[in-house]
Amino acid sequence: SDVYKRQFMTRTGDEDVSINDRARFNRAHNTDLFVSIHHNANAQNDASMNRTEVFWHWHDDGGPSEDAARLLLRELQAAYGLPNSKAYLCWAYGVLRENSYPAILGEASYLANPEEEKRLQDPAHLQKQADAYFRAIEAFFAGGRPQVLLVPGSDPGRTRVLQAAILQPDALSLLDPQRVRAELDGAPLD
């Protein structure tokens, strides 16, 4: 389908692309979802650690980035089932901070773990991971992104009440009324 024809890679080989260049690349291509794929290590050099971690940037808390991160965590958990795995709100990672949204960063497992390092050399193990990423991305786009239309005649300056309609009824099931937020010209609305 057309959705899969619009894939962009910041790199296809073993080359260094700066965080800022990755973000610029993403913005230039006006992507619908940025996915950064990694394997983790830890500062404590604890080789026994192995878990899945998925991050989204705090600017998009409660937004589509969080939705994509939770979908990816679910799929990686189904594939690997590593204990203590979580999705995290994050402010520090530049590849998320400098990017447009939605954007996520996945750490499928810990490369510093010797058993995991061996598994990561197995093509079947890598395929399992690629399939998990694919299923999460597919689920993200299959859910649809609700489009909102300002109802004609509503005047935020005059009535201080905004009326809107959801244009994609199939996306309504994805909406959590507790997480809906509205902005007008970048300023939050009640």
Side-chain angles (χ1 to χ4, degrees), residues 43-112:
Q44 298 80 22
N45 291 322
D46 180 357
S48 69
M49 187 177 290
N50 195 20
R51 64 180 177 230
T52 299
E53 299 169 336
V54 183
F55 300 89
W56 76 94
H57 193 266
W58 67 275
H59 278 302
D60 200 22
D61 188 27
S65 296
E66 181 180 355
D67 295 340
R70 294 194 183 283
L71 286 167
L72 180 56
L73 178 66
R74 181 186 72 192
E75 292 299 334
L76 289 170
Q77 273 295 100
Y80 294 126
L82 296 175
N84 302 315
S85 296
K86 291 184 182 178
Y88 296 95
L89 177 68
C90 178
W91 63 269
Y93 292 143
V95 75
L96 298 177
R97 184 182 60 245
E98 303 300 325
N99 227 312
S100 58
Y101 304 109
I104 60 174
L105 185 150
E107 303 270 10
S109 60
Y110 272 65
L111 180 61

Side-chain angles (χ1 to χ4, degrees), residues 131-149:
D131 291 344
Y133 273 92
F134 178 81
R135 283 190 305 273
I137 293 167
E138 185 176 51
F140 177 78
F141 287 110
R145 294 178 67 190
Q147 294 177 321
V148 178
L149 173 69

Side-chain angles (χ1 to χ4, degrees), residues 6-188:
R6 289 201 50 209
Q7 300 173 40
F8 303 101
M9 303 278 291
T10 57
R11 60 184 167 192
T12 57
D14 188 11
E15 57 194 271
D16 188 25
V17 179
S18 77
I19 288 169
N20 287 334
D21 285 345
R22 293 177 211 183
R24 269 193 290 277
F25 180 90
N26 185 49
R27 288 191 304 270
H29 286 87
N30 194 31
T31 62
D32 296 314
L33 176 65
F34 178 86
V35 180
S36 192
I37 300 171
H38 300 261
H39 286 275
N40 215 341
N42 60 43
Q44 298 80 22
N45 291 322
D46 180 357
S48 69
M49 187 177 290
N50 195 20
R51 64 180 177 230
T52 299
E53 299 169 336
V54 183
F55 300 89
W56 76 94
H57 193 266
W58 67 275
H59 278 302
D60 200 22
D61 188 27
S65 296
E66 181 180 355
D67 295 340
R70 294 194 183 283
L71 286 167
L72 180 56
L73 178 66
R74 181 186 72 192
E75 292 299 334
L76 289 170
Q77 273 295 100
Y80 294 126
L82 296 175
N84 302 315
S85 296
K86 291 184 182 178
Y88 296 95
L89 177 68
C90 178
W91 63 269
Y93 292 143
V95 75
L96 298 177
R97 184 182 60 245
E98 303 300 325
N99 227 312
S100 58
Y101 304 109
I104 60 174
L105 185 150
E107 303 270 10
S109 60
Y110 272 65
L111 180 61
N113 179 290
E115 292 83 26
E116 186 61 23
E117 182 182 13
K118 287 177 191 166
R119 282 189 288 271
L120 289 169
Q121 295 173 26
D122 177 7
H125 187 77
L126 295 175
Q127 185 62 54
K128 194 174 182 181
Q129 181 185 136
D131 291 344
Y133 273 92
F134 178 81
R135 283 190 305 273
I137 293 167
E138 185 176 51
F140 177 78
F141 287 110
R145 294 178 67 190
Q147 294 177 321
V148 178
L149 173 69
L150 189 62
V151 175
S154 64
D155 180 1
R158 185 175 54 81
T159 63
R160 303 197 51 81
V161 174
L162 267 177
Q163 295 180 17
I166 304 293
L167 297 179
Q168 293 170 276
D170 58 328
L172 284 172
S173 65
L174 295 176
L175 293 177
D176 177 354
Q178 301 301 317
R179 291 179 46 196
V180 171
R181 65 176 187 230
E183 294 180 0
L184 180 62
D185 296 330

